[in-house]
Amino acid sequence: MARTVKNKKLINTRLATNYGGWMYCEKCNENIGYLCYSTYDNLELNYTCGCGSQGSVILDFEDSEVGQECDDELITLKNRFCCPKDNEPLITILDKKVSNYEMKITCKSCSKTYKMHK
C-alpha cells in the first residue's frame, strides 16, 4: 500500500521515486545509495558526495510515529543497513560515492531510531 508523504525535503539529492529507491547526487548524477520503500518511518540524512556536493534528505509520512532513540547499531547485511531486531533492510549508503554522512533513520516495524555516521 502506498504511503502518504508528510514532509519531504531534498537538497542536492534526487530520488528514483517519491519516497524510496535509488538516491542520486544532483551535481554529479552519481548513485549514492538505496532507500527501501516500506521499512522505514522517517529519515534524516546529511552527506557529502565524492564530488564535493553537500546533500540532505528529510522524509516522513502521515502515519509516521515518533521513534524511540536507541544506542543500538544497525547491522550490515549484503551492504544494506538493517534493523537488528528483524534484519529488515532500511538503507544502503555507497561508501565509494559518499565521503561522509550523518543519518537518523526510524524502523517502521520496531519504532527505534538509529543513528549512523561516517
Side-chain angles (χ1 to χ4, degrees):
M1 177 198 293
R3 299 177 76 190
T4 303
V5 174
K6 180 178 177 183
N7 296 301
K8 179 177 181 179
K9 183 176 179 183
L10 305 175
I11 297 175
N12 296 327
T13 307
R14 179 174 54 86
L15 292 175
T17 64
N18 189 30
Y19 56 84
W22 295 108
M23 300 183 294
Y24 300 90
C25 169
E26 281 196 326
K27 181 178 178 186
C28 67
N29 209 32
E30 287 287 334
N31 179 347
I32 60 158
Y34 185 85
L35 181 59
C36 299
Y37 294 92
S38 61
T39 56
Y40 76 97
D41 232 4
N42 64 51
L43 170 68
E44 294 178 31
L45 172 66
N46 294 298
Y47 69 91
T48 303
C49 181
C51 74
S53 177
Q54 302 279 324
S56 67
V57 177
I58 295 175
L59 277 168
D60 69 358
F61 303 94
E62 292 291 336
D63 64 348
S64 290
E65 296 183 18
V66 176
Q68 296 177 314
E69 290 198 18
C70 69
D71 292 329
D72 297 343
E73 292 188 15
L74 295 172
I75 59 173
T76 304
L77 299 172
K78 296 183 181 179
N79 86 342
R80 298 177 185 146
F81 291 123
C82 302
C83 175
K85 309 288 185 215
D86 59 11
N87 295 343
E88 284 288 335
L90 299 171
I91 191 168
T92 301
I93 303 290
L94 298 175
D95 281 341
K96 293 179 181 178
K97 305 290 182 159
V98 176
S99 58
N100 63 61
Y101 65 88
E102 290 185 8
M103 173 179 65
K104 283 177 35 176
I105 191 165
T106 302
C107 176
K108 186 171 178 6
S109 66
C110 75
S111 298
K112 300 284 187 193
T113 299
Y114 300 94
K115 294 180 183 180
M116 302 275 304
H117 69 276
K118 170 185 174 190

